[in-house]
Amino acid sequence: MLSENKVCRIGILSLALLLSFTTLASALPPEHEPLKPRVPIQERAYYRNLQAPLYQDTKASPSDVVEAGSKIYQRICVNCHGVTGKGDGLSAGFLPMLPRNFTNCLFQRKRTDGELFYVIKFGSWPMPPMVPSITEVEAWTVIPYLRTFCQH
Ligand code: HEC
């Protein structure tokens, strides 16, 4: 026979367990130093200056390029980076660190298009390389859309 005290303790324990499971399920991993460069030092100067073949300024790209970029994003990137670009996509909770939060304007200002291209092409653990799943032209095309997540 369980004493009333034991029943109460079991009740409290299962409540605590339930609470920790629900927080675990909804907890996202932390973002890892978003402003730290991701392009290796030997290649950084080259990629920082690499120009997109499609446009001069990603913040003033023609709307058809942004539209095409949005389609690529919704097809491949949204799963991790999320609809709102905050890094809270469906798979984000399974990764050891948060996918980049593109609404962070400090991050956006810090990175040139070429640096973003480098990571899209070659990945940055745990993000896998996206080329050749997408072409290099598609990698450049998605960048103007990434830029739209910073609103100021
Ligand atoms: C499997 C999940 C996953 C997918 C799919 C994914 N990413 Fe990522 N991405 C990440 C993670 C995780 C990071 C953070 C890596 C780090 O901190 O170095 C990241 C970082 C980035 C960065 C930041 C690079 C920097 O300089 O700091 C860019 C840009 C990026 N992703 C673009 C994309 C684009 C564009 C796509 C789709 C074509 C995409 N990602 C698809 C998980 C993903």
Side-chain angles (χ1 to χ4, degrees), residues 38 76-77 80-81 97 99-100 107 111 124 127 130 142:
R38 292 304 194 263
I76 301 183
C77 325
C80 292
H81 290 277
M97 65 183 74
R100 188 67 67 252
F107 162 78
R111 295 286 196 268
S124 172
M127 172 174 155
M130 291 293 132
V142 80

Side-chain angles (χ1 to χ4, degrees), residues 44 67 131 137 146:
R44 201 170 300 151
E67 183 56 31
V131 175
V137 171
L146 299 186

Side-chain angles (χ1 to χ4, degrees), residues 75-96:
R75 184 157 48 90
I76 301 183
C77 325
V78 74
N79 200 31
C80 292
H81 290 277
V83 178
T84 58
K86 287 189 181 144
D88 57 355
L90 288 175
S91 304
F94 300 100
L95 297 170

Side-chain angles (χ1 to χ4, degrees), residues 42-55:
Q42 329 77 272
E43 299 180 272
R44 201 170 300 151
Y46 174 79
Y47 279 96
R48 268 195 76 79
N49 295 314
L50 194 62
Q51 290 287 322
L54 310 167
Y55 41 74

